[in-house]
Amino acid sequence: MFRLAVGQVDAGLDPAARMDWLAQILPSLDADLLVLPELFATGYNVGDALKSRGEATDGVSAIAIGDLAQEFDIAIHYGYIEAADGVLFNSAQCISPAGQVLGRHRKLMIPPGFEAEYFATGSETQTFEYRGVRFGMLICYDVEFPEAARRVAAQGVDVILVPTALGADWGWVAQTMVPTRGFENGVYLAYANSAGVENGMAFLGESFVGSPDGEVLVRAGGAAQVIVAQIDPERVKKAQKRLPYLREFQRLAL
């Protein structure tokens, strides 16, 4: 079985403390891949500091996380601010223990609020395979659109990784809406949120891993913690055979 971990960080930590926290949790973590929250490397509700914390895909955060991935033999998927082509993207990427970037994603949908002042939108969805499991990627608001989740699921993935920065007043999204995305596509879904308060913004926590049947396999509480679930690609095949939504959707060519 593939072991998938979700790391729910304390949002109040500065970038250096976030890396320290990551280094502290990894030695005792028995998992193949760890997914971390949206803008994990930089902080989310940090105002104009977002402008100065942008970096290239191979920047300082990638180097630090790549070193940890190699040391502890684990792939790490994390959110960061990508500086490219003169603009900033709300991005995520996954780095393997060999230092290889397995996959990258730029947030497709920018929600109401401050993000539109800082970030350009992405336009593509990518998948990657790691240790026999195929992954797709979305970020936060992206997954709230059923069309985006279906677009990724239709690429043949077993798991959709979703770093998020969900506020404390949006519990229904984490508790009901997002688990439904797994059920309606017959895939696992890993939702990695922050916890606590960052510059006055309270985060919900409640990160989870959902099954292809819509069951929440494991869910975090409201504080920083790490959760782990087992992923079985055969369960994806069974779920999609039982409810062939994806096949019917592709037949309709909508």
Side-chain angles (χ1 to χ4, degrees):
M1 290 286 186
F2 188 100
R3 289 179 60 82
L4 175 63
V6 175
Q8 182 168 282
V9 70
D10 180 347
L13 299 179
D14 64 27
R18 288 164 181 256
M19 290 298 178
D20 289 342
W21 173 83
L22 179 58
Q24 290 167 11
I25 67 169
L26 287 174
S28 60
L29 182 58
D30 179 16
D32 296 286
L33 186 150
L34 169 66
V35 54
L36 297 166
E38 181 176 8
L39 299 187
F40 167 82
T42 57
Y44 178 80
N45 189 42
V46 295
D48 279 346
L50 291 172
K51 295 178 181 178
S52 62
R53 295 180 183 180
E55 61 183 74
T57 57
D58 59 353
V60 293
S61 296
I63 293 170
I65 288 178
D67 288 345
L68 290 171
Q70 181 177 15
E71 181 177 356
F72 296 104
D73 189 32
I74 186 172
I76 302 175
H77 185 274
Y78 69 100
Y80 72 108
I81 299 170
E82 179 189 353
D85 304 321
V87 296
L88 300 176
F89 296 95
N90 183 334
S91 294
Q93 65 181 7
C94 189
I95 300 180
S96 78
Q100 175 189 7
V101 175
L102 297 171
R104 297 189 179 102
H105 179 72
R106 292 171 172 172
K107 193 171 184 178
L108 304 171
M109 314 298 293
I110 303 299
F114 71 86
E115 286 190 51
E117 300 176 23
Y118 298 96
F119 298 122
T121 57
S123 59
E124 300 178 351
T125 57
Q126 297 183 11
T127 68
F128 66 89
E129 187 167 336
Y130 179 66
R131 295 184 179 176
V133 177
R134 180 156 293 278
F135 294 88
M137 298 167 286
L138 294 171
I139 298 174
C140 195
Y141 197 46
D142 292 345
V143 80
E144 296 178 29
F145 292 79
E147 299 85 355
R150 182 136 291 165
R151 173 177 170 180
V152 173
Q155 294 176 275
V157 304
D158 302 303
V159 185
I160 301 177
L161 303 176
V162 188
T164 190
L166 189 70
D169 53 348
W170 293 100
W172 187 84
V173 172
Q175 295 155 10
T176 304
M177 177 193 284
V178 182
T180 300
R181 296 289 173 265
F183 175 83
E184 65 194 10
N185 291 294
V187 296
Y188 290 92
L189 194 146
Y191 195 64
N193 197 15
S194 294
V197 178
E198 180 185 41
N199 298 322
M201 179 178 176
F203 292 85
L204 180 70
E206 297 199 26
S207 302
F208 72 90
V209 178
S211 79
D213 307 302
E215 173 191 4
V216 173
L217 300 175
V218 60
R219 184 184 291 277
Q225 68 182 106
V226 180
I227 55 176
V228 180
Q230 291 189 334
I231 302 300
D232 180 4
E234 289 301 317
R235 191 167 176 180
V236 173
K237 294 176 183 177
K238 290 177 181 177
Q240 293 179 354
K241 182 177 180 180
R242 177 171 178 259
L243 292 173
Y245 294 143
L246 287 177
R247 186 175 69 235
E248 296 301 319
F249 175 76
Q250 292 167 332
R251 180 181 64 82
L252 291 171
L254 294 177

